[in-house]
């Protein structure tokens, strides 16, 4: 029954979509304690001995295909949902789901047992399933790797609705893994929602901040100057969680034995406790974040590592040395053509993420975490003196929408949903970090992939020798050779071009309005419709001529992009030509040009302000 030829065909199909999994399966063995038997319908089922001695039958002994049909019917399969199937078995349910997926629907298939999946691929021809672009297959029982897989999937895909389908026999065989996997799916979906909401809400603010910070970006060096500078040396990442009150006094002893990297939220607290961090990280775009730096004393020699989306007042008024962090945005891509590379970090979802990424970028090992609670132990959100942005301390009883997170003490602690998002990101990053990660928070959330240790023990074991941190100050004092003259010219060009783009979008919207009226009155075949269509196409061509600005404009068109990802919008192209299709295409064009107009109109005053600032800066240098 098991066939090497069948397996080879299936692996060849899988290799086109998932070569890594194909390699893993090629090196795996088939499932032991698995009895394959033919069914009355001519298909196969299997009986497996579970770890507790029970015998689990994967599929019907009569007709597994009909059983799969009835099983999926009972789940209320819809055309809008995307699906996650917990358990592959021999593939019958997965095939039934594939048969029902509409054009833009997708399904994630999860199988905990790699050997069982190899058995299925050796038994049945599953090539159509394995090669389908609608199917995303995972196999294995490593929670950390699965978390990274599912998070990356949701980050890359547009998913409207998710339905989880649990296949009972598979759950009986691997209950713990599937329970964990379902949690990871929910966490990843929640992270994607939070990311989209954040991008829509803060995108315009962040864009405006980058442009306001442009001269600082060109004037100051980047973190590339210190990449790997502390390879094999300990770093302490200090966040502002409430557990920091337990051990902040210990950090002063480590100032010459580790690189201390703190978030801006906690800088004043550290200084008041006699702790001088070597680097303070800031990336929050809101103006209120400046209050953590306002009237600060004793910051000489403390390097500010700043994300260019940071509140401009921080970069403008911080008195100490500065290093800029490169991030992947259309605006920084534009700025990078006028200045040497800054060195890029992944965009942190919180400033604590950015601080951790920086420690890793420096080559530090181990990376010791302090004050990283990621929940509200005792109902507290921050260490004393660190809750400026939040105002009064959190009232857990009145707070709505809280979730619970397991702490290092084994208890469940309240947290906001975005903290769960933050925790998932940290755990995924720990898994891909070569350095040893020590959680010396002494409270807060349990973090998979980090060793739990008291801060005193961590310092005794890993911070016993002196560490020379002068490299940071030397790097921050090096001025980059940026081309301010060319930048001034490019900004002036951008200001002219943005006016043309705005005018083009307004013209396109007028044409589309007239076109809609013509279709409603005379139909899609009216001669005037063809003329108006050519004029709209010309507007598209005019926008394409400004490819250097379009990415910046469309960065803040996320809601427009989400509209175009909707299944009913994507399916317009499949409709027969006629009035209904043309009216939908007109609406699609209206959304497109309207989105470009709103975004370009937002960008325009920021470019004009930058033009004046650059002109003044260039004049001052002459």
């Amino acid at each position: 029954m098991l066939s090497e030829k069948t397996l080879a065909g299936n692996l060849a199909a899988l290799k086109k979509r998932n070569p890594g999994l194909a390699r893993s399966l090629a090196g795996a063995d088939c499932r032991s304690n698995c009895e394959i038997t033919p069914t009355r319908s001519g298909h196969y089922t299997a009986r497996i001995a579970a770890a507790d001695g029970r015998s689990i039958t994967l599929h019907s002994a009569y007709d597994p295909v009909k059983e799969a049909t009835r099983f999926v019917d009972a789940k209320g399969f819809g055309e809008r949902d995307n699906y996650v199937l917990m358990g592959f078995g021999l593939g019958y349910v997965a095939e039934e789901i594939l048969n029902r997926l509409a054009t833009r629907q997708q399904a994630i298939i999860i199988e905990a047992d790699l050997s069982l999946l190899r058995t299925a691929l050796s038994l049945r021809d599953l090539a159509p399933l394995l090669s389908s672009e609608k199917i995303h297959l995972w196999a294995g029982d490593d929670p950390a790797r699965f978390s990274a897989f599912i998070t990356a999937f949701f980050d890359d895909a547009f998913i409207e609705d998710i339905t989880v389908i649990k296949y009972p026999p598979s759950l009986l065989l691997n209950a713990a893994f599937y329970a964990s996997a379902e949690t990871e799916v929910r966490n990843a979906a929640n992270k994607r929602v939070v990311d989209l909401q954040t991008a829509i809400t803060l995108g315009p603010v962040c864009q405006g901040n980058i442009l306001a910070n442009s001269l600082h970006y060109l004037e100051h060096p980047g973190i590339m100057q210190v990449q790997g500078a502390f390879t094999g040396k300990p770093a302490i990442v200090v966040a502002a969680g409430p557990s920091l009150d337990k051990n902040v006094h210990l950090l002063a002893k480590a100032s010459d034995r580790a690189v201390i990297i703190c978030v801006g939220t906690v800088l004043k607290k550290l200084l008041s406790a006699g702790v001088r961090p070597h680097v303070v990280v800031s990336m929050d775009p809101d103006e209120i974040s400046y209050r953590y730096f306002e009237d600060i004393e004793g910051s000489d020699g403390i390097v500010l590592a700043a994300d260019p989306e940071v509140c401009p007042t921080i970069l403008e008024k911080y008195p100490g040395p500065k290093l800029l962090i490169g991030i992947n945005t259309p605006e920084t891509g534009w700025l990078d053509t006028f200045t040497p590379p800054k060195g890029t970090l992944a965009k942190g979802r919180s400033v604590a993420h950015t601080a951790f990424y920086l420690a890793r970028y420096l080559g530090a090992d181990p990376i010791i975490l302090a004050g990283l609670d990621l929940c509200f132990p005792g109902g507290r959100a921050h260490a004393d003196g660190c809750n400026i942005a939040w105002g009064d301390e959190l009232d857990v009883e009145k707070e709505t929408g809280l979730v619970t997170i397991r702490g290092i003490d084994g208890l469940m602690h309240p947290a906001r949903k975005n903290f769960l998002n933050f925790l998932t990101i940290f755990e995924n990053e720990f898994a891909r970090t070569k350095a040893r990660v020590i959680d010396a928070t002494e409270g807060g959330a349990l973090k998979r992939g980090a060793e739990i240790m008291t801060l005193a023990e961590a310092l005794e074991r890993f911070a016993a020798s002196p560490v020379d941190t002068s490299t940071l100050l030397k790097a921050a004092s090096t001025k980059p050779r940026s081309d301010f003259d060319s930048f001034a010219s490019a900004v002036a060009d951008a200001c002219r071009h943005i006016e043309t783009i705005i005018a083009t979008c307004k013209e396109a919207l007028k044409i589309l309005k007239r076109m809609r009226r013509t279709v409603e009155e005379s139909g899609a075949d009216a001669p005037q419709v063809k003329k108006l269509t050519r004029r709209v196409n010309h507007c598209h061509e005019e926008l394409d001529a400004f490819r250097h600005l379009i990415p910046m404009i469309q960065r803040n068109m996320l809601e427009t992009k989400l509209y175009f990802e909707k299944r009913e919008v994507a399916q317009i192209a499949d409709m027969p030509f006629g009035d209904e299709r043309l009216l939908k295409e007109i609406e699609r064009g209206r959304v497109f040009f309207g989105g470009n107009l709103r975004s370009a109109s937002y960008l325009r005053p920021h470019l004009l302000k930058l033009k004046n600032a650059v002109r003044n800066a260039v004049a001052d240098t002459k």
Side-chain angles (χ1 to χ4, degrees):
M1 290 180 283
L2 299 183
S3 164
E4 288 295 326
K5 181 178 180 180
T6 301
L7 175 64
N10 283 326
L11 291 181
L14 179 62
K15 187 177 181 180
K16 298 175 183 178
R17 295 273 295 125
N18 194 334
L21 180 55
R23 286 193 299 271
S24 296
L25 285 165
D29 294 322
C30 286
R31 182 67 154 82
S32 60
N33 299 321
C34 179
E35 179 186 355
I36 306 295
T37 57
T39 67
R40 292 185 181 182
S41 62
H43 300 95
Y44 293 97
T45 186
R47 185 178 293 107
I48 297 176
D52 61 4
R54 289 180 299 168
S55 179
I56 308 298
T57 301
L58 291 183
H59 304 284
S60 167
Y62 295 90
D63 193 331
V65 174
K66 287 185 177 179
E67 179 191 48
T69 301
R70 290 192 298 269
F71 178 78
V72 176
D73 281 342
K75 300 302 175 183
F77 202 92
E79 292 187 359
R80 295 190 60 84
D81 287 4
N82 295 276
Y83 291 86
V84 177
L85 174 62
M86 301 282 184
F88 187 84
L90 297 181
Y92 298 108
V93 174
E95 287 178 309
E96 182 62 25
I97 288 175
L98 175 61
N99 290 338
R100 301 189 188 203
L101 291 178
T103 303
R104 294 178 63 82
Q105 283 181 294
Q106 300 180 68
I108 302 169
I109 314 295
I110 302 168
E111 175 51 57
D113 189 340
L114 191 69
S115 63
L116 178 57
L117 182 59
R118 179 180 167 111
T119 300
L121 269 57
S122 301
L123 182 67
R124 304 184 59 235
D125 179 8
L126 296 165
L129 174 74
L130 300 171
S131 60
S132 173
E133 293 186 357
K134 299 178 181 180
I135 298 296
H136 306 270
L137 181 60
W138 164 269
D141 59 357
D142 184 329
R145 289 182 60 242
F146 176 73
S147 179
F149 161 80
I150 198 68
T151 300
F153 172 80
F154 277 99
D155 283 347
D156 293 340
F158 174 75
I159 302 295
E160 290 182 84
D161 301 293
I162 285 288
T163 294
V164 175
I165 298 177
K166 305 172 188 178
Y167 189 56
S170 296
L171 267 61
L172 291 173
L173 290 170
N174 293 283
F177 172 78
Y178 287 116
S180 172
E182 183 176 9
T183 298
E184 295 292 352
V185 169
R186 304 294 185 194
N187 289 350
N190 174 64
K191 174 184 176 297
R192 181 58 170 157
V193 171
V194 171
D195 289 348
L196 290 174
Q197 291 172 341
T198 301
I200 291 171
T201 303
L202 293 180
V205 175
C206 291
Q207 182 180 69
N209 286 0
I210 292 178
L211 295 176
N213 290 328
S214 293
L215 290 177
H216 289 288
Y217 192 82
L218 271 62
E219 179 183 354
H220 295 288
I223 59 170
M224 182 174 283
Q225 302 291 325
V226 291
Q227 182 178 14
F230 296 91
T231 298
K233 304 297 183 182
I236 306 172
V237 173
V238 187
S243 294
L244 184 63
D245 289 331
K246 300 177 183 178
N247 53 26
V248 64
H249 61 284
L250 299 176
L251 292 172
K253 302 176 184 178
S255 61
D256 62 346
R257 293 181 286 147
V259 183
I260 300 178
I261 304 171
C262 77
V263 301
T265 320
V266 81
L267 178 59
K268 288 184 178 180
K269 180 179 181 67
L270 293 186
L271 292 175
S272 66
V275 180
R276 290 185 57 77
H278 303 101
V279 183
V280 56
V281 178
S282 188
M283 51 84 71
D284 293 321
D286 298 323
E287 184 68 29
I288 196 171
S289 61
Y290 172 63
R291 293 180 62 186
Y292 293 111
F293 293 85
E294 194 172 22
D295 300 324
I296 201 165
E297 296 180 0
S299 63
D300 294 346
I302 300 175
V303 176
L304 170 66
D307 180 314
E309 292 181 347
V310 72
C311 163
T313 311
I314 294 175
L315 269 178
E316 183 66 32
K317 296 189 175 183
Y318 184 75
K322 304 177 182 74
L323 288 173
L324 272 295
I325 299 170
I327 57 174
N328 292 316
T329 70
E331 297 78 26
T332 52
W334 181 50
L335 294 174
D336 285 339
T337 61
F338 306 101
T339 189
K342 298 298 179 189
T344 302
L345 297 182
K347 180 64 180 179
R349 295 304 192 275
S350 73
V351 66
H353 290 113
T354 303
F356 176 80
Y357 299 157
L358 179 59
R360 187 171 60 187
Y361 189 83
L362 296 177
D365 187 2
I367 301 173
I368 302 168
L369 310 174
L372 191 67
D373 287 84
L374 298 177
C375 62
F376 305 141
R380 300 175 62 214
H382 294 93
D384 290 340
C386 298
N387 60 342
I388 295 173
W390 286 46
D392 294 333
E393 196 56 67
L394 183 76
D395 187 340
V396 174
E397 298 301 324
K398 296 181 180 179
E399 188 84 8
T400 59
L402 293 180
V403 297
T404 56
I405 292 177
R406 187 173 299 281
I408 64 170
D409 56 7
L411 303 177
M412 302 303 292
H413 296 280
R416 288 183 175 171
K417 284 185 178 180
N418 61 332
F419 278 40
L420 189 60
N421 177 4
F422 296 164
L423 176 60
T424 299
I425 295 169
F426 268 119
E427 291 180 336
N428 289 341
E429 292 299 331
F430 295 164
R432 60 173 62 103
T433 298
K434 294 180 180 179
R436 193 172 182 178
V437 180
I438 308 295
D439 183 12
T441 299
E442 300 185 40
L446 180 66
K447 307 168 190 71
R448 184 177 59 219
E451 299 177 52
I452 299 173
M453 200 176 294
T454 65
L455 182 58
E457 181 184 357
L459 295 181
E460 182 179 355
R461 291 179 59 181
F462 304 111
S465 303
V467 174
D468 181 4
T469 59
S470 61
T471 306
L472 291 164
L473 289 175
K474 292 176 183 177
S477 63
T478 304
K479 295 296 182 182
R481 295 183 177 180
S482 299
D483 189 346
F484 284 91
D485 289 334
S486 295
F487 181 59
S489 177
V491 172
D493 288 343
C495 289
R496 289 194 299 271
H497 296 161
I498 201 74
E499 300 294 348
T500 302
I501 290 170
I502 290 172
T504 299
C505 290
K506 288 180 177 179
E507 177 64 16
L509 289 170
K510 289 180 181 178
I511 297 169
L512 288 166
K513 184 177 181 179
R514 183 178 173 186
M515 191 173 173
R516 180 180 182 86
R517 185 169 60 248
T518 302
V519 173
E520 290 174 340
E521 294 175 354
S522 305
D525 293 323
Q528 186 68 12
V529 171
K530 294 181 180 179
K531 295 180 181 179
L532 294 172
T533 299
R534 286 195 293 269
R535 291 177 61 188
V536 171
N537 290 339
H538 179 69
C539 290
H540 278 287
E541 293 169 1
E542 286 193 340
L543 289 188
D544 287 341
F546 301 107
R547 292 187 179 276
H548 58 296
L549 273 181
I550 291 301
M552 279 193 269
I553 292 170
Q554 295 187 351
R555 172 187 177 176
N556 291 324
M557 290 174 55
L558 186 54
E559 289 176 301
T560 303
K561 293 177 183 176
L562 294 178
Y563 164 84
F564 275 87
E565 290 285 352
K566 289 183 176 180
R567 193 170 293 112
E568 58 267 29
V569 175
Q571 291 174 344
I572 292 175
D574 299 328
M575 296 175 63
F577 180 78
D579 292 3
E580 182 182 1
R581 170 174 169 168
L582 191 51
L583 288 172
K584 288 182 180 293
E585 289 178 341
I586 291 170
E587 174 62 15
R588 187 174 61 187
R590 188 194 66 78
V591 172
F592 173 78
F593 284 106
N596 276 277
L597 177 59
R598 287 189 297 275
S599 187
S601 298
Y602 175 84
L603 183 59
R604 178 180 178 274
H606 292 285
L607 286 174
L608 292 174
K609 186 176 180 179
L610 177 59
K611 177 182 176 182
N612 293 331
V614 173
R615 183 170 53 202
N616 294 336
V618 171
D620 289 343
T621 62
K622 294 183 177 179

